[in-house]
Amino acid sequence: MKYFYLLCRILLGILFLVFGANLLHPFLPMEMPPAGSLPAQFMGVMFPSGWMHEIGLLQILGGLLVLIGGTAPLGLVILGPLIVNILTFHILLAGGHGIAPGLFATLLEIILIYGYRSNFAGIFTFSATPTP
């Protein structure tokens, strides 16, 4: 199983490194949505505002942390909300079009959260107290 989790970490890390870098400096061709559609309106606000540069930086950071290994749980915590937003965009705005990479990232994220579940044990407690 060790090698399986390593493969999942490498795939998820590279996926977010590549697509995060593409948001900062586009090098992959992107299919533009039809003018006036919900995805086009969304992109019309997000890209010119610089918001997507922040998302790209978070994707690169999360991808690097997952690739490093010892910091994989932190990378998974950073990438989790980004993956939820990717899925939400494709389900609600794009009608499911282009959702495959998001579903693949979701699958990898779930596998890795399960693989690193002992590192998340402190989050799931009902007796948390502040540190004195």
Side-chain angles (χ1 to χ4, degrees), residues 73-74 76-78 113 116-129:
L74 178 58
L76 294 171
V77 168
I78 292 171
I113 287 172
Y116 286 89
R117 65 190 176 277
S118 64
N119 294 283
F120 297 106
I123 296 173
F124 300 105
T125 181
F126 292 101
S127 59
T129 58

Side-chain angles (χ1 to χ4, degrees), residues 6 28 32 46 68 70-71 95 110 127:
L6 175 63
L28 296 172
M32 297 309 292
M46 299 303 270
I68 290 171
T71 56
I110 290 169
S127 59

